[in-house]
Amino acid sequence: MSKMMFDYTKSILERVSFDPILFCKELEKAIKTLLPYEMELLQEWLLNFIIGKPELRECILLVKV
């Protein structure tokens, strides 16, 4: 079940990445939902995902806090 939630979170974030505000809101939801080890995976995924999307870089601060 946990892997499914992580994959679902990634797919939502990919779909809303066109809007930085919406992306940050969905990321906040994910932070509340995912388990600590999943947060590490999400942080790693985010670092790779936002390489080509400078408008999303502010959102990474939510994960590091």
Side-chain angles (χ1 to χ4, degrees):
M1 174 78 172
S2 175
K3 175 73 170 149
M4 289 174 39
M5 190 62 181
F6 178 70
D7 289 338
Y8 175 74
T9 298
K10 285 191 330 186
S11 70
I12 294 295
L13 291 172
E14 288 171 348
R15 284 187 240 157
V16 300
S17 64
F18 66 90
D19 182 359
I21 295 171
L22 187 55
F23 186 85
C24 286
K25 286 182 181 180
E26 290 298 328
L27 186 56
E28 287 174 349
K29 289 181 192 177
I31 291 168
K32 294 176 185 174
T33 307
L34 296 176
L35 299 172
Y37 75 92
E38 291 173 317
M39 286 305 303
E40 292 176 15
L41 294 173
L42 182 65
Q43 185 175 1
E44 184 178 317
W45 176 83
L46 275 172
L47 290 173
N48 290 321
F49 184 73
I50 65 170
I51 288 173
K53 299 170 179 60
E55 67 275 7
L56 300 178
R57 287 197 180 128
E58 287 184 27
C59 297
I60 194 73
L61 297 175
L62 294 172
V63 178
K64 292 184 178 181
V65 171

